[in-house]
Amino acid sequence: MSLARVDAEELMDDPSLDPATYAAVLRDLARVNTVTMAARPTLAFLGRIARRGDRLKLLDVGYGDGDMLRRIARWAARRGVKAELIGIDLNPRSEAIARADTPGDLPITYRTGDYADLAGKGWDAVVSSLVAHHMTRAQLVAFLAFMERESARGWFVNDLHRHRFAHRGYPLLATLARWHPIVRADGTLSIARSYRPDEWPPILAEAGVREAEVRRIFPFRLCVERRR
């Protein structure tokens, strides 16, 4: 039997969370992303839409501490892609943390606010990582419709695959790695909040997306890709 989807708030989304605790959680989440090779699917997608010498104007929605954008910036530099990278995050505490963790020579701009306010800015691509499962269904449908309208070359959702093995195994990994207790608790909940492959097509259809591809990627990633 598959793991039933859970709809519950995560501890890190609590606006009353102490700023120092929030910073520690974001930085441990960046470590989780490194261990689980979270950037690999997103960089592979970018390799399919951008060639050496291209210009790429990219929006990352929900950047956290900016680790994905830093990986993208370094990927672009190695491949001769002239990147303009913008991150938007609803949580006002994220911007200061991401700026502090980002070298000044990287072509990244961090902003605080709603992604919907950045419509009509000429995006080549829109990406997100570990954001979709934080949204309600209505919010996710609106986000997918935004990306479909606004991305000239395509968009990419990098999220978790709801799976019993991941749900049971992650707490052990988090304990062994000594990640923050909130990262251990929220990570387990995040897996339970995420989707399975057969749950994505109706959501995409509701958003008016007809040509996206749902990809299962090791370890326990479920990504949605749209290329034009």
Side-chain angles (χ1 to χ4, degrees):
M1 179 180 291
S2 64
L3 179 68
R5 186 170 186 269
V6 173
D7 187 10
E9 292 296 321
E10 296 182 24
L11 295 172
M12 69 171 294
D13 292 332
D14 184 350
S16 67
L17 193 66
D18 174 77
T21 300
Y22 184 74
V25 167
L26 282 193
R27 286 171 176 143
D28 265 6
L29 282 173
R31 296 183 182 99
V32 174
N33 289 340
T34 298
V35 170
T36 60
M37 301 177 286
R40 185 179 59 172
T42 299
L43 298 182
F45 160 73
L46 295 177
R48 290 188 282 273
I49 67 166
R51 298 179 180 179
R52 181 171 293 275
D54 277 357
R55 292 185 177 275
L56 182 68
K57 184 176 181 181
L58 177 142
L59 175 64
D60 179 18
V61 177
Y63 55 77
D65 98 322
D67 58 304
M68 181 64 79
L69 282 170
R70 289 191 291 274
R71 289 293 301 274
I72 293 172
R74 291 170 178 136
W75 170 90
R78 289 194 301 271
R79 286 159 179 77
V81 174
K82 299 174 183 178
E84 179 184 354
L85 307 177
I86 312 295
I88 188 79
D89 198 296
L90 278 173
N91 196 314
R93 293 172 293 189
S94 295
E95 185 172 344
I97 297 165
R99 287 179 184 273
D101 290 350
T102 301
D105 62 339
L106 297 184
I108 302 172
T109 300
Y110 295 110
R111 297 181 181 175
T112 300
D114 190 334
Y115 71 83
D117 295 333
L118 298 180
K121 302 296 184 181
W123 306 109
D124 292 310
V126 182
V127 301
S128 70
S129 181
L130 299 179
V131 171
H133 67 267
H134 286 267
M135 297 178 171
T136 66
R137 185 184 177 104
Q139 289 169 339
L140 181 55
V141 167
F143 180 46
L144 292 167
F146 170 89
M147 291 191 293
E148 183 71 5
R149 288 192 309 270
E150 300 295 329
S151 58
R153 299 190 203 175
W155 51 262
F156 195 76
V157 171
N158 185 335
D159 207 57
L160 300 170
H161 179 192
R162 192 176 79 247
H163 193 285
R164 282 191 177 276
F165 186 86
H167 190 255
R168 291 173 178 172
Y170 174 81
L172 177 60
L173 172 63
T175 299
L176 291 173
R178 298 184 178 181
W179 291 326
H180 195 283
I182 289 179
V183 173
R184 294 200 291 268
D186 277 2
T188 306
L189 179 56
S190 289
I191 294 166
R193 292 181 72 181
S194 60
Y195 294 92
R196 293 182 58 80
D198 61 345
E199 294 170 340
W200 269 104
I203 297 171
L204 291 163
E206 189 174 344
V209 178
R210 295 176 176 81
E211 298 181 27
E213 181 178 359
V214 180
R215 294 172 174 261
R216 293 177 61 174
I217 299 174
F218 177 86
F220 300 109
R221 288 272 159 169
L222 194 58
C223 299
V224 185
E225 175 175 332
R226 169 76 160 104
R227 281 184 286 157
R228 301 188 191 281

